[in-house]
Amino acid sequence: MVLALGATPASAAQRVMSLDQCADQYVMALSPRKAIVGVSMRAGDPDAYLHAQAAGLPRRRASAESILAAQPNVVVRYWGGDALMSRILARRGVTVVDLTDQGGFDGVRQNIRAVASALGARARGEALVADMDGKLAASVGAWHGAPGMYLTPAGFSTGPGTLIDAMLRGAGLDNRTTAPGYVQASMERLVIDQPVGLVLGFFDAYGLSQQLWAPGRRTFVRDLTARRQIASLPGAVLDCPAWFAADGVQAISRAKRAR
Amino acid sequence: MSRLTLTTALVAALGLALAMGLALGEVPLSLAQYLDAFRHPGSAPGEILWALRAPRVVAAAVVGAALGLSGAVMQGLLRNPLAEPGVLGVSAGGGLGAALAIAAGLAVSPEAVQAAALAGALLAGLAVAVAAARFREPEALILFGVALSAFGGALTALVFNLSPSPVSNTEILSWLMGSVANRDWSDIARALLPMAAGLGLCLYAARALLVMTLGEETAALSGLPMERLRAAAVAGAALLTGAAVALAGVIGFVGLAAPHLVRGAVRGDPERVLIPSALTGAVLVVCADLIGRIAPTEIELKLGVVTALFGAPVFALVAWRAARSWSA
């Protein structure tokens, strides 16, 4: 079958494409649907925050050939593609918006505003920011500085400089992981510190028992996560520096209020 | 098979592979769109053919030729059918350089990553050249190369280990898997200079390879400047490999497989196998890249993945034959 170059229905003024699952969420939230000429192949996966909205949108590979065939004038990317591809697109007059790996909600606001500006959707962008800020304001300080820690099934935690650290602090938890970035959690420290709250991430996608070489195979970790878990956040709110990270903050704070 | 016949056949195969690499791709084009691409290079089909596919297939050919030639030189120099560019540790050095650059936040500058990869490869090549000057025995050089390769791999793993961001880890991994996607003419031009120097050195050293098959003592009596020729072979192979790694990441097995595919046609002559190996390497990488592009997968297959998938069985076959010859 021969692909009709640029034949996907879209407005003449704006043709938007996203290259990965994170960028998909921004594009689907901020762009008029008719302007979207392509989303990533994983846009409809269950772990995508707006996966239901991806139905009916054209899925495309994050390759330069596929992008040029779709003829977008704005491309949004996070991990999809690479700098070489951005260079090719920029030389052809395509606006490339790079979402950045943000260490806090200020950075998320920057991401939202950058995409909204490129798409000419400032009002929608500000509405997303306001919604996010509303959830953050309602959650602030819920745990009053209680020690907490983030843990994934593979035993990773996060410290300062990450959005997840900002999420924990946003709900009033004192993050006990102090090493910056994404780090392997110390099981010994976990046992000694016994943090009041464990915020679990991605446990919806991977059960502890499935991680044969991960901390989850240890009985004490299973017991600890059962006793100390205060929230289990789905991958959909964790794998993208976006406004829905505030949903995670809200879930953590609600866990306190439910006690 | 005569040298002319072999070369003609390989050049024809390369021409066919390049044409297929240009004509086929992720986006199928109609005849009218092909014609449009030729008449209007700035049209969308023209952009796909001339701006995306053309530099890509040329980059694949250049990388494959460099690795094929480098592999043939290594196998001749080390008198070992299992030798390949990676055995010297040069690929690992290039990979480490790129990984460090990406971890340092330079991923937004492809030129910087390319330069770092080349610098890493050349540093490793320098270490190998020093070892080659010190030790005559091929086994010593192989062992030194294996150690250097393991050390480079360990340092790259350390970069992964200490990286605070999964995003940069993903970028490093993606680079290490090898690709010629999105390369443009300026990227190729930057790689050509070290490749040309490497080609010159390898051709200069070629006359020593046949003499070396007679043994070190005979080679020493040949009247050829063996020390200089050996150093030129090592430096040439390192330059070719380093430039290939800088342009396309780590592409395994091409340097191993290409010489073996044509060695029989030149009756095992380590000098005459050089150019056919380069042409074969070019054909292999252009075809591997095409397979990666048109395979019906959600995500494009990385070049290094495709070459390894096809190259590993060849490696097993070579090892099998070598083992049989040892036990005979």
Side-chain angles (χ1 to χ4, degrees):
Chain A
M1 187 186 77
V2 173
L3 192 90
L5 292 172
T8 311
S11 77
Q14 193 77 279
R15 298 175 63 86
V16 186
M17 185 168 166
S18 48
L19 302 191
D20 52 66
Q21 200 185 52
C22 182
D24 293 336
Q25 313 313 306
Y26 276 89
V27 165
M28 289 190 288
L30 292 169
S31 170
R33 192 172 171 82
K34 64 179 182 181
I36 300 174
V37 297
V39 291
S40 81
M41 303 297 276
R42 290 195 55 210
D45 285 6
D47 61 340
Y49 188 73
L50 299 175
H51 63 91
Q53 291 186 29
L57 290 173
R59 314 280 170 89
R60 298 187 193 278
R61 268 185 180 179
S63 68
E65 195 165 307
S66 171
I67 297 166
L68 288 193
Q71 297 184 314
N73 46 28
V74 179
V75 164
V76 183
R77 64 174 290 259
Y78 181 37
W79 64 76
D82 54 26
L84 289 166
M85 182 190 291
S86 295
R87 183 181 67 182
I88 286 174
L89 298 176
R91 284 179 184 167
R92 280 153 189 80
V94 179
T95 301
V96 180
V97 183
D98 284 290
L99 301 172
T100 50
D101 186 18
Q102 300 293 353
F105 285 95
D106 280 344
V108 173
R109 290 182 196 95
Q110 285 174 25
N111 276 342
I112 295 171
R113 287 178 175 135
V115 177
S117 173
L119 300 181
R122 289 177 199 274
R124 282 195 195 202
E126 291 309 315
L128 271 188
V129 171
D131 179 60
M132 179 181 82
D133 285 345
K135 289 174 180 171
L136 292 176
S139 307
V140 71
W143 283 87
H144 305 293
M149 184 178 159
Y150 173 76
L151 189 69
T152 71
F156 277 89
S157 188
T158 60
T162 64
L163 182 58
I164 291 166
D165 176 70
M167 290 166 69
L168 265 59
R169 286 187 287 106
L173 287 170
D174 175 25
N175 189 1
R176 282 303 168 96
T177 302
T178 53
Y182 291 78
V183 294
Q184 192 75 42
S186 162
M187 291 302 108
E188 294 187 8
R189 185 55 59 194
L190 193 63
V191 172
I192 293 294
D193 285 353
Q194 296 268 322
V196 166
L198 278 180
V199 175
L200 306 182
F202 294 101
F203 276 61
D204 58 328
Y206 308 101
L208 272 176
S209 60
Q210 292 171 298
Q211 300 287 320
L212 293 179
W213 293 103
R217 65 201 287 252
R218 312 217 176 264
T219 307
F220 76 85
V221 176
R222 285 205 295 272
D223 291 346
L224 194 66
T225 53
R227 282 187 288 111
R228 301 289 190 174
Q229 169 188 335
I230 57 173
S232 182
L233 305 180
V237 303
L238 292 168
D239 55 7
C240 177
W243 66 95
F244 39 79
D247 290 12
V249 180
Q250 200 173 36
I252 300 169
S253 69
R254 280 179 179 163
K256 174 65 177 174
R257 287 172 187 137
R259 292 193 168 196
Chain B
M1 187 182 292
S2 76
R3 183 184 288 197
L4 182 64
T5 308
L6 178 63
T7 306
T8 306
L10 288 172
V11 167
L14 179 57
L16 183 64
L18 288 170
M20 285 175 63
L22 197 61
L24 302 176
E26 186 184 346
V27 176
L29 298 173
S30 67
L31 183 61
Q33 286 169 326
Y34 282 119
L35 292 174
D36 195 28
F38 280 93
R39 288 176 188 148
H40 309 289
S43 63
E47 287 277 294
I48 286 175
L49 245 64
W50 309 124
L52 297 182
R53 292 185 190 170
R56 182 173 184 152
V57 294
V58 170
V62 164
V63 165
L67 293 175
L69 177 57
S70 177
V73 170
M74 293 309 305
Q75 288 173 13
L77 177 73
L78 301 174
R79 302 198 292 282
N80 189 320
L82 300 181
E84 54 124 5
V87 84
L88 285 183
V90 175
S91 299
L96 173 62
L100 282 171
I102 293 169
L106 296 176
V108 291
S109 169
E111 296 81 5
V113 176
Q114 198 176 357
L118 184 60
L122 292 183
L123 273 177
L126 185 65
V128 174
V130 169
R134 175 73 181 80
F135 305 107
R136 275 189 184 180
E137 299 77 11
E139 293 81 3
L141 200 55
I142 291 173
L143 290 174
F144 183 80
V146 167
L148 192 63
S149 189
F151 189 59
L155 289 176
T156 304
L158 186 65
V159 175
F160 273 107
N161 202 168
L162 298 180
S163 168
S165 164
V167 176
S168 70
N169 274 352
T170 304
E171 285 173 348
I172 294 170
L173 188 61
S174 175
W175 196 91
L176 289 177
M177 285 194 288
S179 175
V180 285
N182 306 322
R183 270 59 176 177
D184 68 11
W185 299 115
S186 63
D187 298 322
I188 298 168
R190 277 194 298 277
L192 281 181
L193 185 63
M195 281 183 182
L199 172 66
L201 286 167
C202 287
L203 293 180
Y204 168 69
R207 56 192 167 139
L209 298 177
L210 186 58
V211 178
M212 281 184 191
T213 60
L214 304 173
E216 288 294 336
E217 289 180 7
T218 310
L221 297 171
S222 66
L224 292 173
M226 293 307 296
E227 295 297 326
R228 197 189 307 164
L229 290 170
R230 192 182 287 110
V234 170
L239 277 166
L240 286 167
T241 309
V245 172
L247 181 57
V250 180
I251 313 288
F253 290 108
V254 174
L256 171 73
H260 285 288
L261 292 174
V262 289
R263 181 159 289 127
V266 297
R267 298 192 182 124
D269 185 328
E271 181 183 354
R272 288 178 59 200
V273 82
L274 296 185
I275 299 303
S277 296
L279 291 168
T280 305
V283 173
L284 288 178
V285 176
V286 172
C287 290
D289 179 55
L290 181 59
I291 290 169
R293 278 191 281 152
I294 64 175
T297 51
E298 287 195 355
I299 296 169
E300 185 177 300
L301 296 179
K302 289 285 186 179
L303 182 52
V305 175
V306 178
T307 57
L309 279 174
F310 286 91
V314 174
F315 185 83
L317 188 64
V318 170
W320 182 277
R321 284 182 177 168
R324 281 176 58 188
S325 70
W326 296 334
S327 59

Coordinates of all heavy atoms in Angstrom, one line a residue, chain A residues 68-142:
Chain A
L68 N 8.4 13.1 8.3 CA 8.3 13.9 7.1 C 7.1 13.5 6.2 O 6.5 14.4 5.5 CB 9.6 13.8 6.3 CG 10.8 14.5 6.9 CD1 11.9 14.6 5.9 CD2 10.5 15.9 7.4
A69 N 6.7 12.2 6.2 CA 5.6 11.8 5.4 C 4.3 12.4 6.0 O 3.4 12.7 5.2 CB 5.5 10.3 5.4
A70 N 4.2 12.6 7.3 CA 3.0 13.1 7.9 C 3.0 14.6 7.8 O 1.9 15.2 8.0 CB 3.0 12.7 9.4
Q71 N 4.1 15.2 7.5 CA 4.2 16.7 7.3 C 3.7 17.5 8.4 O 2.8 18.4 8.2 CB 3.5 17.1 6.0 CG 4.2 16.4 4.8 CD 3.6 16.9 3.5 OE1 2.3 16.9 3.3 NE2 4.4 17.2 2.5
P72 N 4.1 17.3 9.6 CA 3.7 18.1 10.7 C 4.5 19.5 10.7 O 5.5 19.5 10.1 CB 4.1 17.3 12.0 CG 5.3 16.6 11.5 CD 5.1 16.3 10.1
N73 N 3.9 20.5 11.3 CA 4.7 21.7 11.5 C 5.1 21.9 13.0 O 5.9 22.7 13.3 CB 4.0 23.0 10.9 CG 2.6 23.0 11.3 OD1 2.2 22.5 12.4 ND2 1.8 23.7 10.5
V74 N 4.5 21.1 13.8 CA 5.0 21.0 15.2 C 5.2 19.6 15.6 O 4.3 18.7 15.4 CB 4.0 21.7 16.2 CG1 4.5 21.6 17.6 CG2 3.8 23.2 15.8
V75 N 6.3 19.3 16.2 CA 6.6 17.9 16.7 C 6.9 18.0 18.2 O 7.7 18.9 18.6 CB 7.7 17.2 16.0 CG1 8.3 16.0 16.7 CG2 7.3 16.8 14.6
V76 N 6.3 17.2 19.0 CA 6.6 17.2 20.5 C 7.2 15.9 20.8 O 6.8 14.8 20.4 CB 5.3 17.4 21.3 CG1 5.6 17.5 22.8 CG2 4.5 18.7 20.8
R77 N 8.3 16.0 21.6 CA 9.0 14.7 21.9 C 9.6 14.8 23.4 O 9.8 15.9 23.9 CB 10.2 14.5 21.0 CG 11.3 15.5 21.0 CD 12.5 15.1 20.1 NE 13.2 14.0 20.7 CZ 14.4 14.1 21.4 NH1 14.9 15.3 21.5 NH2 15.0 13.1 21.9
Y78 N 9.7 13.6 24.0 CA 10.4 13.5 25.3 C 11.6 12.6 25.0 O 12.7 13.0 24.8 CB 9.4 13.0 26.3 CG 10.0 12.9 27.7 CD1 10.9 13.8 28.2 CD2 9.6 11.9 28.6 CE1 11.4 13.7 29.5 CE2 10.1 11.8 29.8 CZ 11.0 12.7 30.3 OH 11.6 12.5 31.5
W79 N 11.3 11.3 25.0 CA 12.4 10.4 24.7 C 12.4 9.9 23.3 O 13.3 9.3 22.8 CB 12.4 9.2 25.7 CG 11.2 8.3 25.6 CD1 11.0 7.4 24.7 CD2 10.1 8.3 26.5 NE1 9.8 6.8 24.9 CE2 9.2 7.3 26.0 CE3 9.8 9.0 27.7 CZ2 8.0 7.0 26.7 CZ3 8.6 8.7 28.3 CH2 7.7 7.7 27.8
G80 N 11.3 10.1 22.6 CA 11.2 9.6 21.2 C 12.1 10.4 20.3 O 12.3 11.6 20.4
G81 N 12.7 9.7 19.4 CA 13.7 10.4 18.4 C 14.9 10.7 19.2 O 15.2 10.2 20.2
D82 N 15.7 11.5 18.6 CA 17.0 12.0 19.2 C 17.4 13.3 18.6 O 16.7 13.9 17.8 CB 18.1 10.9 18.9 CG 18.3 10.6 17.4 OD1 17.9 11.5 16.6 OD2 18.7 9.5 17.1
A83 N 18.5 13.8 19.1 CA 19.0 15.1 18.7 C 19.2 15.2 17.2 O 19.0 16.3 16.6 CB 20.2 15.5 19.5
L84 N 19.7 14.1 16.6 CA 19.9 14.1 15.1 C 18.6 14.3 14.4 O 18.5 15.1 13.4 CB 20.6 12.8 14.7 CG 22.0 12.6 15.1 CD1 22.4 11.2 14.9 CD2 22.9 13.5 14.4
M85 N 17.6 13.7 14.9 CA 16.3 13.8 14.2 C 15.7 15.3 14.4 O 15.2 15.9 13.5 CB 15.3 12.8 14.8 CG 13.9 12.9 14.1 SD 12.7 11.9 15.0 CE 13.3 10.3 14.7
S86 N 15.9 15.8 15.6 CA 15.5 17.2 15.9 C 16.2 18.1 14.9 O 15.6 19.1 14.4 CB 15.8 17.6 17.3 OG 15.0 16.8 18.2
R87 N 17.4 17.9 14.6 CA 18.2 18.7 13.7 C 17.6 18.6 12.3 O 17.4 19.7 11.7 CB 19.7 18.2 13.7 CG 20.6 19.0 12.9 CD 22.0 18.5 12.9 NE 22.0 17.2 12.2 CZ 23.1 16.4 12.2 NH1 24.2 16.8 12.7 NH2 23.1 15.3 11.6
I88 N 17.3 17.4 11.9 CA 16.7 17.3 10.5 C 15.4 18.1 10.4 O 15.1 18.8 9.5 CB 16.4 15.8 10.2 CG1 17.8 15.1 9.9 CG2 15.5 15.6 9.1 CD1 17.7 13.6 9.8
L89 N 14.5 17.9 11.5 CA 13.2 18.6 11.5 C 13.4 20.1 11.5 O 12.7 20.8 10.8 CB 12.4 18.0 12.6 CG 12.1 16.5 12.6 CD1 11.3 16.1 13.8 CD2 11.3 16.2 11.3
A90 N 14.3 20.5 12.4 CA 14.4 22.0 12.5 C 14.9 22.6 11.2 O 14.4 23.7 10.9 CB 15.4 22.3 13.7
R91 N 15.8 21.9 10.5 CA 16.2 22.5 9.2 C 15.1 22.6 8.2 O 15.2 23.3 7.2 CB 17.3 21.6 8.7 CG 18.7 21.8 9.4 CD 19.7 20.9 8.8 NE 21.0 21.0 9.6 CZ 22.0 20.1 9.5 NH1 21.9 19.1 8.7 NH2 23.1 20.3 10.2
R92 N 14.0 21.8 8.4 CA 12.9 21.8 7.5 C 11.8 22.7 8.0 O 10.7 22.6 7.5 CB 12.5 20.4 7.2 CG 13.3 19.8 6.1 CD 13.4 18.3 6.2 NE 14.5 17.8 5.3 CZ 15.8 17.9 5.6 NH1 16.2 18.3 6.8 NH2 16.7 17.5 4.7
G93 N 12.1 23.5 9.0 CA 11.1 24.5 9.5 C 10.1 23.9 10.4 O 9.1 24.6 10.8
V94 N 10.3 22.6 10.9 CA 9.4 22.0 11.8 C 9.7 22.5 13.2 O 10.9 22.4 13.6 CB 9.4 20.5 11.7 CG1 8.5 19.9 12.8 CG2 9.1 20.0 10.3
T95 N 8.8 23.0 14.0 CA 9.0 23.4 15.4 C 9.1 22.1 16.2 O 8.1 21.3 16.2 CB 7.9 24.3 15.9 OG1 7.9 25.5 15.0 CG2 8.2 24.7 17.3
V96 N 10.2 21.9 16.9 CA 10.4 20.7 17.7 C 10.3 21.2 19.2 O 11.1 22.0 19.6 CB 11.7 20.0 17.5 CG1 11.8 18.7 18.4 CG2 11.7 19.5 16.0
V97 N 9.4 20.7 19.9 CA 9.3 21.0 21.4 C 9.8 19.8 22.1 O 9.3 18.7 22.1 CB 7.8 21.3 21.8 CG1 7.8 21.7 23.3 CG2 7.2 22.4 20.9
D98 N 10.9 20.1 22.8 CA 11.5 19.0 23.6 C 11.0 19.1 25.1 O 11.3 20.1 25.7 CB 13.1 19.1 23.6 CG 13.7 18.6 22.3 OD1 13.7 17.4 22.1 OD2 14.1 19.5 21.6
L99 N 10.3 18.1 25.5 CA 9.9 18.1 26.9 C 11.2 17.7 27.7 O 12.0 16.9 27.2 CB 8.8 17.0 27.2 CG 7.5 17.2 26.4 CD1 6.6 16.0 26.5 CD2 6.8 18.5 26.8
T100 N 11.3 18.3 28.9 CA 12.5 18.1 29.6 C 12.2 17.3 30.9 O 11.1 17.4 31.4 CB 13.3 19.4 29.9 OG1 12.3 20.3 30.5 CG2 13.8 20.0 28.7
D101 N 13.2 16.6 31.3 CA 13.1 15.7 32.5 C 13.2 16.7 33.7 O 14.3 17.1 34.2 CB 14.3 14.8 32.5 CG 14.2 13.8 33.6 OD1 13.1 13.6 34.2 OD2 15.3 13.2 33.9
Q102 N 12.0 17.0 34.2 CA 12.0 18.1 35.2 C 12.1 17.5 36.7 O 11.6 16.5 37.0 CB 10.7 18.9 35.1 CG 10.5 19.5 33.8 CD 11.5 20.6 33.5 OE1 12.3 21.0 34.5 NE2 11.5 21.2 32.3
G103 N 12.8 18.3 37.5 CA 12.9 17.9 38.9 C 11.8 18.4 39.8 O 11.9 18.3 41.0
G104 N 10.8 19.1 39.3 CA 9.8 19.7 40.1 C 8.7 20.2 39.3 O 8.7 20.1 38.1
F105 N 7.7 20.7 40.0 CA 6.5 21.2 39.3 C 6.6 22.5 38.5 O 5.9 22.7 37.6 CB 5.3 21.2 40.3 CG 4.8 19.9 40.6 CD1 5.2 19.2 41.8 CD2 3.9 19.2 39.8 CE1 4.8 17.9 42.1 CE2 3.4 17.9 40.1 CZ 3.9 17.3 41.2
D106 N 7.7 23.3 38.9 CA 8.0 24.4 38.1 C 8.3 24.0 36.7 O 7.9 24.6 35.7 CB 9.1 25.2 38.7 CG 8.6 26.1 39.9 OD1 7.4 26.3 40.0 OD2 9.5 26.6 40.7
G107 N 9.1 23.0 36.6 CA 9.5 22.4 35.3 C 8.3 21.9 34.5 O 8.3 22.0 33.3
V108 N 7.4 21.3 35.2 CA 6.2 20.8 34.5 C 5.4 22.0 33.9 O 4.9 21.9 32.8 CB 5.3 20.0 35.5 CG1 4.0 19.6 34.8 CG2 6.0 18.7 36.0
R109 N 5.3 23.0 34.7 CA 4.6 24.2 34.2 C 5.3 24.7 32.9 O 4.7 25.1 32.0 CB 4.6 25.3 35.3 CG 3.7 25.0 36.4 CD 3.6 26.2 37.5 NE 3.1 25.7 38.7 CZ 3.8 25.2 39.8 NH1 5.1 25.3 39.7 NH2 3.2 24.7 40.8
Q110 N 6.7 24.7 33.0 CA 7.4 25.1 31.8 C 7.1 24.2 30.6 O 6.9 24.7 29.5 CB 8.9 25.1 32.1 CG 9.4 26.2 32.9 CD 10.9 26.0 33.3 OE1 11.6 25.3 32.6 NE2 11.3 26.5 34.4
N111 N 7.1 22.9 30.8 CA 6.7 22.0 29.7 C 5.4 22.3 29.2 O 5.2 22.4 27.9 CB 6.8 20.5 30.3 CG 8.1 19.9 30.3 OD1 9.1 20.4 29.6 ND2 8.3 18.9 31.0
I112 N 4.4 22.5 30.1 CA 3.0 22.7 29.6 C 3.0 24.0 28.8 O 2.4 24.0 27.6 CB 2.0 22.8 30.8 CG1 1.9 21.5 31.5 CG2 0.6 23.3 30.3 CD1 1.2 21.6 32.9
R113 N 3.6 25.0 29.3 CA 3.5 26.3 28.6 C 4.3 26.3 27.3 O 3.9 26.9 26.3 CB 4.1 27.4 29.5 CG 3.0 27.7 30.6 CD 3.5 28.8 31.6 NE 2.4 29.1 32.5 CZ 2.5 29.2 33.8 NH1 3.7 29.0 34.4 NH2 1.5 29.4 34.6
A114 N 5.4 25.5 27.2 CA 6.2 25.4 26.0 C 5.3 24.8 24.9 O 5.3 25.2 23.7 CB 7.5 24.6 26.2
V115 N 4.7 23.7 25.2 CA 3.9 22.9 24.2 C 2.7 23.8 23.9 O 2.3 24.0 22.7 CB 3.4 21.6 24.8 CG1 2.5 20.9 23.8 CG2 4.6 20.7 25.1
A116 N 2.0 24.4 24.9 CA 0.8 25.2 24.6 C 1.2 26.4 23.7 O 0.4 26.7 22.8 CB 0.2 25.7 25.9
S117 N 2.3 27.0 23.9 CA 2.7 28.1 23.1 C 3.0 27.7 21.7 O 2.5 28.3 20.7 CB 4.0 28.7 23.7 OG 4.5 29.7 22.9
A118 N 3.7 26.5 21.5 CA 3.9 26.1 20.1 C 2.7 25.7 19.4 O 2.6 25.8 18.2 CB 4.9 24.9 20.2
L119 N 1.7 25.2 20.2 CA 0.4 24.8 19.5 C -0.6 25.9 19.4 O -1.7 25.7 18.9 CB -0.2 23.6 20.3 CG 0.6 22.4 20.4 CD1 -0.1 21.3 21.2 CD2 1.0 21.9 19.0
G120 N -0.3 27.1 20.0 CA -1.2 28.2 20.0 C -2.4 27.9 20.9 O -3.5 28.3 20.6
A121 N -2.1 27.2 22.0 CA -3.2 26.8 22.9 C -2.9 27.3 24.3 O -2.9 26.5 25.3 CB -3.4 25.3 22.8
R122 N -2.6 28.6 24.4 CA -2.2 29.1 25.7 C -3.3 28.9 26.8 O -3.0 28.6 27.9 CB -1.8 30.6 25.6 CG -0.4 30.8 24.9 CD -0.1 32.3 24.7 NE 0.8 32.5 23.7 CZ 2.2 32.4 23.9 NH1 2.6 32.2 25.0 NH2 3.0 32.6 22.8
A123 N -4.5 29.2 26.4 CA -5.6 29.1 27.3 C -5.7 27.7 27.9 O -5.9 27.5 29.1 CB -6.9 29.6 26.7
R124 N -5.7 26.7 27.0 CA -5.7 25.3 27.4 C -4.6 25.0 28.3 O -4.7 24.3 29.3 CB -5.7 24.4 26.2 CG -7.0 24.3 25.5 CD -6.9 23.0 24.5 NE -7.9 23.1 23.5 CZ -8.3 22.0 22.9 NH1 -7.8 20.8 23.1 NH2 -9.3 22.1 22.0
G125 N -3.4 25.5 28.0 CA -2.2 25.3 28.8 C -2.4 25.8 30.2 O -2.1 25.2 31.2
E126 N -2.9 27.1 30.3 CA -3.1 27.7 31.6 C -4.2 26.9 32.4 O -4.1 26.9 33.6 CB -3.5 29.2 31.5 CG -2.3 30.0 30.9 CD -1.0 29.8 31.7 OE1 -1.1 29.8 33.0 OE2 0.1 29.7 31.1
A127 N -5.2 26.4 31.7 CA -6.2 25.6 32.4 C -5.6 24.4 33.0 O -5.9 24.0 34.2 CB -7.3 25.3 31.4
L128 N -4.7 23.7 32.3 CA -4.0 22.5 32.8 C -3.1 22.9 34.0 O -3.1 22.2 35.0 CB -3.1 21.9 31.7 CG -3.6 20.9 30.8 CD1 -2.5 20.3 29.9 CD2 -4.4 19.8 31.5
V129 N -2.4 24.0 33.9 CA -1.6 24.5 35.0 C -2.4 24.8 36.2 O -2.1 24.4 37.4 CB -0.8 25.7 34.6 CG1 -0.1 26.3 35.8 CG2 0.3 25.4 33.5
A130 N -3.6 25.4 36.0 CA -4.4 25.8 37.1 C -5.0 24.5 37.8 O -5.1 24.4 39.0 CB -5.6 26.7 36.6
D131 N -5.4 23.6 37.0 CA -5.9 22.3 37.5 C -4.9 21.6 38.4 O -5.1 21.1 39.5 CB -6.4 21.4 36.4 CG -6.9 20.1 36.9 OD1 -7.9 20.1 37.6 OD2 -6.3 19.0 36.5
M132 N -3.6 21.6 37.8 CA -2.5 20.9 38.5 C -2.3 21.7 39.9 O -2.1 21.1 40.9 CB -1.3 21.0 37.7 CG -0.1 20.3 38.3 SD 1.4 20.4 37.2 CE 2.0 22.1 37.6
D133 N -2.2 23.0 39.8 CA -1.9 23.8 41.0 C -3.0 23.6 42.0 O -2.7 23.6 43.2 CB -1.7 25.2 40.6 CG -0.4 25.5 39.9 OD1 0.5 24.6 40.0 OD2 -0.2 26.5 39.3
G134 N -4.2 23.5 41.6 CA -5.3 23.3 42.5 C -5.2 22.0 43.3 O -5.3 22.0 44.5
K135 N -4.8 20.9 42.6 CA -4.6 19.6 43.3 C -3.4 19.7 44.2 O -3.5 19.1 45.3 CB -4.4 18.5 42.2 CG -5.6 18.2 41.4 CD -5.3 17.2 40.3 CE -6.6 16.9 39.6 NZ -6.4 16.1 38.3
L136 N -2.4 20.4 43.8 CA -1.2 20.5 44.7 C -1.5 21.3 45.9 O -1.1 21.0 47.0 CB 0.0 21.2 43.9 CG 0.6 20.4 42.7 CD1 1.6 21.2 42.0 CD2 1.2 19.1 43.2
A137 N -2.3 22.4 45.7 CA -2.6 23.3 46.9 C -3.5 22.5 47.9 O -3.3 22.6 49.1 CB -3.4 24.5 46.4
A138 N -4.4 21.6 47.3 CA -5.3 20.9 48.2 C -4.5 19.8 49.0 O -5.0 19.2 50.0 CB -6.4 20.3 47.4
S139 N -3.3 19.4 48.5 CA -2.6 18.3 49.0 C -1.4 18.7 49.9 O -0.9 17.9 50.7 CB -2.0 17.4 47.9 OG -3.0 17.1 47.0
V140 N -1.1 20.0 49.9 CA 0.1 20.5 50.5 C 0.2 20.1 52.0 O -0.8 20.3 52.8 CB 0.3 22.0 50.3 CG1 -0.7 22.8 51.1 CG2 1.7 22.4 50.6
G141 N 1.3 19.6 52.4 CA 1.6 19.3 53.8 C 0.8 18.2 54.5 O 0.8 18.1 55.7
A142 N 0.1 17.4 53.7 CA -0.9 16.5 54.3 C -0.2 15.5 55.3 O -0.8 15.2 56.4 CB -1.5 15.6 53.2

